[in-house]
């Protein structure tokens, strides 16, 4: 079958590598892709927010199955628009419609969804741009730490956690004043949960599901979880503190109730569900839902997935019996290499050296560009990620950090404490 992956980051590079290994995949296209994805398929010059451009690609390249990598096209209704155009007729489209994508597109909607369906999560109050003083008054009435979240999409940077009341009040005014445009004109002030974070990933048709390996990512830009939030600085899988008992609690209290709620609330859903979780005193709570795989978690997860990802998608898309998921017992790790100025103001255009002299490490491209002469340059905040698998997490991390020391571009920085 012909497969199209929509997106152009490290997540899509990891998906492209995994999908290309499937015997079901005859031709693989990635739109727009990046210099790394071109190793596994043909890159297409696509604008993911241009529905007609995507529809033409589905027809021009006889696509049988399409996978949406990033969240924004889903939140803006790409699936719904393509269905109205009949572009998805007889095709499998792996990504939910707008009703399901609201789980990521609106944290307020997701919070209400969890309350209605008895899914454990932190309490929260919602405020919009007309309620700035009410939000400030609420902060003055509660104890720190304070958790502020932009309601809409903010590229992983819309969460502020601080114990400084003055900073919290300033952040409220800036968020509700439009720091992230419409995305932060409504915010949530959440109860603080003190625990350890991890992520669980499901593929579902809204009725059935299969679970992928769990992972943990590291959001803060600096060592020791310091500095501002980013889209993710690294990840590991498996997660040391997630044992069989915790997996069972997540399955029975969170995953199954979420999928059952899709049926109950008539949410038509085919795609990934990312459960951002926190373990508090041995109990799991949902921090957030995403309606796609994470980046850089995908890199670590795909390195441990031994079964055929494309086969799982086809079975869900066609209503066929589900094959068992096979997961490697080995450990995987991912370290993200960032450009100078990331996350606030990343620099572009620095030449990258050392990419083709590595063994035992998979390099995934996230923000790169190929120049006319063939050289690869940085073209985003998170430029590359180094991923590896080994018999132990410490060995996998050794491989990743050896690669990080070998790769060179001006201003490159990365966390030195991933997985530690």
């Amino acid at each position: 079958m012909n497969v199209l992956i929509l997106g152009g980051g490290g997540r899509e590079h990891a998906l492209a590598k995994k999908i290309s290994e499937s015997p079901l995949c005859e031709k693989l296209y990635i739109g727009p892709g990046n210099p790394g994805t071109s190793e596994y398929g043909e890159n297409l010059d696509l604008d993911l927010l241009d529905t007609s451009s995507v529809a033409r690609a589905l027809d021009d390249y006889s696509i049988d199955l399409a996978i949406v990598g990033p969240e924004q096209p889903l939140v803006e209704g790409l699936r719904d628009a393509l269905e109205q155009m009949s572009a998805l007729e007889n095709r499998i489209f792996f990504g939910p419609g707008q009703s399901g994508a609201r789980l990521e597109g609106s944290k307020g909607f997701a919070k209400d969804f969890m309350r209605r369906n008895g899914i454990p999560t932190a309490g929260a109050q919602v405020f919009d741009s007309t309620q700035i003083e009410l939000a400030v008054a609420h902060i003055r009435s509660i104890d720190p730490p304070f958790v502020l979240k932009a309601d809409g999409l903010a590229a992983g940077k819309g969460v502020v956690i601080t114990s400084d009341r003055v900073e919290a009040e300033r952040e409220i005014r800036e968020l509700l004043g439009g720091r992230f445009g419409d995305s932060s004109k409504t915010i949530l002030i959440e109860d603080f949960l003190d625990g350890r974070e991890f992520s669980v990933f499901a593929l579902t048709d809204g009725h059935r599901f299969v679970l992928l390996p769990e992972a943990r990512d590291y959001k803060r830009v600096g060592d020791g979880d310091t500095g501002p939030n980013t889209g993710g600085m690294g990840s590991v899988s498996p997660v040391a503190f997630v044992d069989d008992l915790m997996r069972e609690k997540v399955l029975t209290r969170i995953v199954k109730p979420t999928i059952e709620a899709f049926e109950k609330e008539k949410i038509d859903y085919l795609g990934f569900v990312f459960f951002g979780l926190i373990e508090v005193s041995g109990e799991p709570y949902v921090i957030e839902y995403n309606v796609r795989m994470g980046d850089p978690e995908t890199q670590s997860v795909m390195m441990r997935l031994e079964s055929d990802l494309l086969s799982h998608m086809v079975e869900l898309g066609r209503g066929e019996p589900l094959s068992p998921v096979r997961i490697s017992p080995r450990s995987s790790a991912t370290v993200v290499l960032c450009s100078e100025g990331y996350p606030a103001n990343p620099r572009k255009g620095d030449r990258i050296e050392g990419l083709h002299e590595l063994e035992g490490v998979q390099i995934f491209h996230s923000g790169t560009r190929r120049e006319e002469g063939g050289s690869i340059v940085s073209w985003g905040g998170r430029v590359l990620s180094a991923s590896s698998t080994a018999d132990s997490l410490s060995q996998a991390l050794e491989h990743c950090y050896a690669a990080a020391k070998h790769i060179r571009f001006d201003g490159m920085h990365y966390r030195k404490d991933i997985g530690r």
Side-chain angles (χ1 to χ4, degrees), residues 126-262:
V126 180
F127 300 90
D128 64 31
S129 56
T130 69
Q131 300 173 306
I132 293 176
E133 298 309 319
L134 282 176
V136 169
H138 180 66
I139 282 292
R140 292 173 180 172
S141 72
I142 61 175
D143 295 326
F146 309 109
V147 182
L148 315 176
K149 293 184 176 181
D151 179 65
L153 301 180
K157 305 178 185 74
V159 178
V160 176
I161 302 175
T162 179
S163 294
D164 186 326
R165 202 179 303 272
V166 173
E167 180 186 2
E169 292 180 16
R170 183 180 68 250
E171 292 286 347
I172 285 171
R173 296 183 189 281
E174 291 184 9
L175 286 167
L176 290 176
R179 177 191 294 169
F180 297 108
D182 290 341
S183 291
S184 64
K185 289 198 172 177
T186 298
I187 66 167
L188 281 71
I189 301 179
E190 269 195 3
D191 297 342
F192 177 75
L193 295 178
D194 188 10
R196 298 178 291 185
E197 296 184 22
F198 64 106
S199 302
V200 167
F201 311 90
L203 289 74
T204 183
D205 59 5
H207 311 284
R208 307 172 300 159
F209 64 90
V210 295
L211 289 179
L212 301 177
E214 77 273 2
R216 185 178 191 185
D217 82 324
Y218 297 78
K219 289 291 188 191
R220 301 266 186 173
V221 71
D223 290 352
D225 283 333
T226 57
N229 274 326
T230 72
M233 297 294 293
S235 63
V236 298
S237 180
V239 181
F241 59 84
V242 178
D243 56 15
D244 289 341
L245 177 59
M246 178 57 64
R247 291 187 187 95
E248 181 62 24
K249 288 180 178 180
V250 170
L251 182 65
T252 57
R253 301 180 190 180
I254 294 171
V255 177
K256 286 183 177 178
T258 297
I259 307 305
E260 289 167 0
F262 291 163

Side-chain angles (χ1 to χ4, degrees), residues 8-10 13 32-38 43 337 339 347-352 355 363-371 375-385 407 409:
H13 190 172
N34 61 46
T37 62
S38 63
N43 288 347
L337 312 181
S339 60
R347 193 170 79 186
K348 295 182 179 180
D350 292 304
R351 183 171 177 170
I352 303 169
L355 282 175
I363 300 299
F364 294 109
H365 292 238
S366 297
T368 63
R369 178 175 174 175
R370 190 184 302 277
E371 301 280 70
S375 60
I376 306 294
V377 300
S378 63
W379 208 251
R382 292 185 296 170
V383 179
L384 300 163
S385 54
I407 295 170
F409 59 91

